[in-house]
Amino acid sequence: MLIIGERINSSRTPIADAISSRNAGFIQSEAKAQVDAGADYLDVNAGSFIGEEAKHLSWLIEVVQEPTDCPICIDSPDPAVIKSVLPLIKTGVPMINSITLEPARLERILPLIVEYKCKVIGLCQTEDSIAETTEDKVKLAEQLVEKVTASGVLLDDLYIDPLVYPIGTNTESALATLNAIEQIMKQFPGVHTTCGLTNISYGLPNRKLVNRTFLVAAIVRGLDSAIMDPTDKMLYGSLKTALMVMGKDEFCMEYVSAYREGRLE
Amino acid sequence: MLIIGERINSSRTPIADAISSRNAGFIQSEAKAQVDAGADYLDVNAGSFIGEEAKHLSWLIEVVQEPTDCPICIDSPDPAVIKSVLPLIKTGVPMINSITLEPARLERILPLIVEYKCKVIGLCQTEDSIAETTEDKVKLAEQLVEKVTASGVLLDDLYIDPLVYPIGTNTESALATLNAIEQIMKQFPGVHTTCGLTNISYGLPNRKLVNRTFLVAAIVRGLDSAIMDPTDKMLYGSLKTALMVMGKDEFCMEYVSAYREGRLE
């Protein structure tokens, strides 16, 4: 289970403030907290600084790499921004978050993924539509697999995000995503699936309960990566327990260790 | 989702004490609390009173039926005990917990199920073995379906419990049960599956986290009944949220109602 830590994102006010004021200490404490809590990748995003994204993202990447050698997930839709920050990556295999099936974006980002041997998150989304049904999500996943592997990227480096939309506006939306995860994992052996969790609970009370229940359901259907906050102990506890229930924690050792370290609840 | 409230069980010391001292008020408060929390059936068990089970179970059933008309689940392995208490049932369709494939037990209980038009829980267990693998669980489920329907009981009245064993002693045990639930629900359309939750976490720390995560996983695989404590809000919250995530809560109305009533966490 690959955990992509989502906290260093400029859409969060404390992060935007720390970027503006060049508060490296705050960013580094966020980085370390996520790594200590179990992050395998650190997502970094400066997307709210329009016109200045490359400058701020460069600073973030340099600052985050000082206290940790956790690999970086570059979170930007802009091929030019991605290109300008990729040379700053010091350790590990970088990940790009994300490509879609929009041709302009795809055609400019794919060569960078090949050149820098990156992992990449592919969203089930085209330039003019999102996929709401299982069938549409799987169809777009198939196109992502074709495009990405045709460019020379290994299936093992592709993390497909079938996307989840608020269950409050469409009762079937979470189930469509769960079914898509199962089908994608069966249809393309070797590929990975990932998902952001927060969208699903938009507009509902007790959102964290919904998010972590969805995470368990997705793991049961085969999800093997998540974009999440590993410092949320209830969420992390649900993740570790779901993996144990699915037979992926031999002798329950990871569960018991996480319990002893106070990381489950 | 049929919730069988498990609290009135003589293996719990306060219940055994209340039975011994004929403390009807305590038993009735346990009954009402479970009904208020969402129980569809109230399980009643006096099995720890060896030789006096029938007497105590009769008292329990009469006491429980005073404050509520929630249907009763008669929890006893003994055909004679079941026969003696069945005439006491006043309202609703009684449920028998449980039959197995042990011939002596099965042959004496089945006619009672037919005579009193009961629902019945069938355990995937024979007289001399338990089923640990998915294959064995499904094989025994198939035999239960054959025996029960051959006697004239409707498939809709059979709740198959594939049983779960401690994950701490066998990493694969929960997954075997989850796979069995999915296969049984597919192979015998119309049948139900149920499960007690507490066995799985035996010997592990933070047992309730394991139990509720397993419940979510089982619902994702098709479980449509559980033997559980509905007054455990974290457990009940996981159940309601899992049903919503699986598209079984139109407009999220049940989730939002449960939240407003303070029953989720």
Side-chain angles (χ1 to χ4, degrees), chain B residues 182-196:
Chain B
E182 183 167 303
Q183 215 167 311
I184 290 166
M185 294 301 267
K186 276 188 187 155
Q187 199 165 326
F188 310 105
V191 83
H192 304 280
T193 41
T194 194
C195 202

Side-chain angles (χ1 to χ4, degrees), chain B residues 244-264:
Chain B
M244 179 175 71
V245 162
M246 291 303 289
K248 291 176 178 168
D249 180 4
E250 207 166 358
F251 307 118
C252 309
M253 282 178 69
E254 292 199 28
Y255 175 85
V256 173
S257 301
Y259 169 77
R260 286 194 183 135
E261 291 161 15
R263 291 156 67 205
L264 287 185

Side-chain angles (χ1 to χ4, degrees), chain B residues 22-71:
Chain B
R22 289 294 185 257
N23 184 346
F26 182 76
I27 298 293
Q28 289 170 344
S29 71
E30 289 279 293
K32 282 161 68 179
Q34 291 183 92
V35 173
D36 291 347
D40 300 300
Y41 269 81
L42 289 172
D43 190 272
V44 287
N45 173 301
S48 59
F49 293 91
I50 294 160
E52 296 182 304
E53 188 186 356
K55 179 180 80 178
H56 291 308
L57 194 57
S58 299
W59 177 78
L60 270 185
I61 289 172
E62 294 196 326
V63 160
V64 163
Q65 288 183 112
E66 271 176 41
T68 169
D69 53 8
C70 183

Side-chain angles (χ1 to χ4, degrees), chain B:
Chain B
M1 189 80 194
L2 192 95
I3 298 175
I4 303 161
E6 72 184 6
R7 291 179 61 88
I8 304 176
N9 191 307
S10 60
S11 67
R12 295 179 62 222
T13 309
I15 297 293
D17 290 349
I19 294 172
S20 298
S21 62
R22 289 294 185 257
N23 184 346
F26 182 76
I27 298 293
Q28 289 170 344
S29 71
E30 289 279 293
K32 282 161 68 179
Q34 291 183 92
V35 173
D36 291 347
D40 300 300
Y41 269 81
L42 289 172
D43 190 272
V44 287
N45 173 301
S48 59
F49 293 91
I50 294 160
E52 296 182 304
E53 188 186 356
K55 179 180 80 178
H56 291 308
L57 194 57
S58 299
W59 177 78
L60 270 185
I61 289 172
E62 294 196 326
V63 160
V64 163
Q65 288 183 112
E66 271 176 41
T68 169
D69 53 8
C70 183
I72 302 290
C73 180
I74 299 166
D75 186 353
S76 171
D78 186 334
V81 170
I82 295 170
K83 185 173 186 172
S84 76
V85 302
L86 265 170
L88 302 173
I89 299 294
K90 287 179 188 153
T91 55
V93 176
M95 181 179 258
I96 306 298
N97 180 11
S98 56
I99 56 168
T100 67
L101 286 159
E102 297 165 65
R105 188 166 159 191
L106 193 64
E107 282 155 25
R108 291 175 64 202
I109 298 180
L110 274 181
L112 296 170
I113 294 167
V114 175
E115 180 182 351
Y116 286 89
K117 299 186 170 55
C118 302
K119 295 181 183 295
V120 61
I121 296 173
L123 310 182
C124 291
Q125 191 174 308
T126 68
E127 72 261 63
D128 51 12
S129 71
I130 57 171
E132 291 206 66
T133 66
T134 302
E135 195 189 352
D136 285 348
K137 287 175 196 288
V138 174
K139 203 159 67 184
L140 297 190
E142 193 167 354
Q143 293 174 28
L144 281 167
V145 167
E146 277 168 20
K147 298 273 186 195
V148 167
T149 55
S151 76
V153 176
L154 296 175
L155 207 52
D156 183 46
D157 287 330
L158 175 59
Y159 289 74
I160 297 176
D161 182 346
L163 297 175
V164 67
Y165 301 107
I167 199 169
T169 49
N170 177 358
T171 309
E172 300 288 325
S173 62
L175 186 59
T177 301
L178 295 171
N179 289 341
I181 288 167
E182 183 167 303
Q183 215 167 311
I184 290 166
M185 294 301 267
K186 276 188 187 155
Q187 199 165 326
F188 310 105
V191 83
H192 304 280
T193 41
T194 194
C195 202
L197 306 172
T198 49
N199 246 357
I200 188 182
S201 57
Y202 184 79
L204 287 173
N206 213 336
R207 293 188 62 175
K208 289 188 165 191
L209 170 63
V210 181
N211 298 349
R212 66 177 179 264
T213 305
F214 176 72
L215 176 61
V216 172
I219 289 171
V220 170
R221 290 303 193 87
L223 189 83
D224 66 352
S225 168
I227 305 160
M228 57 179 266
D229 177 3
T231 70
D232 175 341
K233 289 185 181 185
M234 297 286 281
L235 181 63
Y236 187 79
S238 291
L239 179 144
K240 295 308 271 187
T241 313
L243 291 171
M244 179 175 71
V245 162
M246 291 303 289
K248 291 176 178 168
D249 180 4
E250 207 166 358
F251 307 118
C252 309
M253 282 178 69
E254 292 199 28
Y255 175 85
V256 173
S257 301
Y259 169 77
R260 286 194 183 135
E261 291 161 15
R263 291 156 67 205
L264 287 185
E265 281 194 331

Side-chain angles (χ1 to χ4, degrees), chain A residues 22-255:
Chain A
R22 290 294 185 257
N23 184 345
F26 181 76
I27 298 294
Q28 289 170 343
S29 71
E30 289 280 291
K32 281 162 69 180
Q34 292 184 91
V35 173
D36 290 346
D40 300 300
Y41 269 81
L42 289 171
D43 190 271
V44 287
N45 174 302
S48 59
F49 294 91
I50 295 159
E52 296 183 303
E53 188 186 356
K55 180 180 77 178
H56 291 308
L57 194 57
S58 299
W59 178 77
L60 270 185
I61 289 173
E62 294 197 326
V63 161
V64 163
Q65 289 183 111
E66 271 176 42
T68 168
D69 53 9
C70 183
I72 301 291
C73 179
I74 299 166
D75 185 353
S76 171
D78 186 334
V81 170
I82 295 169
K83 185 173 185 171
S84 76
V85 302
L86 266 170
L88 302 174
I89 300 293
K90 287 180 191 153
T91 55
V93 177
M95 180 180 259
I96 306 298
N97 180 12
S98 56
I99 56 168
T100 67
L101 286 159
E102 297 165 66
R105 189 166 157 190
L106 193 63
E107 283 156 25
R108 290 175 65 202
I109 297 180
L110 274 181
L112 296 170
I113 294 166
V114 174
E115 181 182 350
Y116 287 90
K117 298 186 171 55
C118 302
K119 294 180 184 297
V120 62
I121 296 173
L123 309 182
C124 291
Q125 191 175 309
T126 68
E127 71 262 63
D128 51 12
S129 73
I130 56 171
E132 291 206 64
T133 65
T134 302
E135 195 189 352
D136 285 348
K137 287 175 197 289
V138 174
K139 204 159 65 185
L140 297 191
E142 193 167 355
Q143 292 174 29
L144 281 167
V145 167
E146 277 168 19
K147 298 273 186 195
V148 168
T149 54
S151 76
V153 176
L154 296 175
L155 207 53
D156 183 46
D157 287 330
L158 175 60
Y159 289 74
I160 296 176
D161 182 346
L163 297 174
V164 67
Y165 301 107
I167 198 169
T169 50
N170 176 359
T171 309
E172 300 288 324
S173 61
L175 186 58
T177 302
L178 295 172
N179 289 341
I181 289 167
E182 183 167 303
Q183 215 168 311
I184 291 165
M185 293 300 267
K186 275 188 187 154
Q187 199 165 325
F188 310 105
V191 83
H192 304 280
T193 42
T194 194
C195 202
L197 306 172
T198 49
N199 247 357
I200 188 182
S201 58
Y202 184 78
L204 287 174
N206 212 336
R207 293 187 62 174
K208 288 188 167 192
L209 171 63
V210 181
N211 299 349
R212 66 176 178 263
T213 305
F214 175 72
L215 176 61
V216 172
I219 289 172
V220 170
R221 290 303 192 87
L223 188 83
D224 65 353
S225 168
I227 305 159
M228 59 179 265
D229 178 2
T231 70
D232 175 342
K233 289 185 182 185
M234 297 287 280
L235 181 63
Y236 187 78
S238 291
L239 178 144
K240 294 308 272 187
T241 312
L243 291 172
M244 180 175 70
V245 162
M246 291 303 289
K248 291 175 179 170
D249 180 4
E250 207 167 358
F251 307 117
C252 308
M253 282 179 69
E254 292 198 27
Y255 175 85

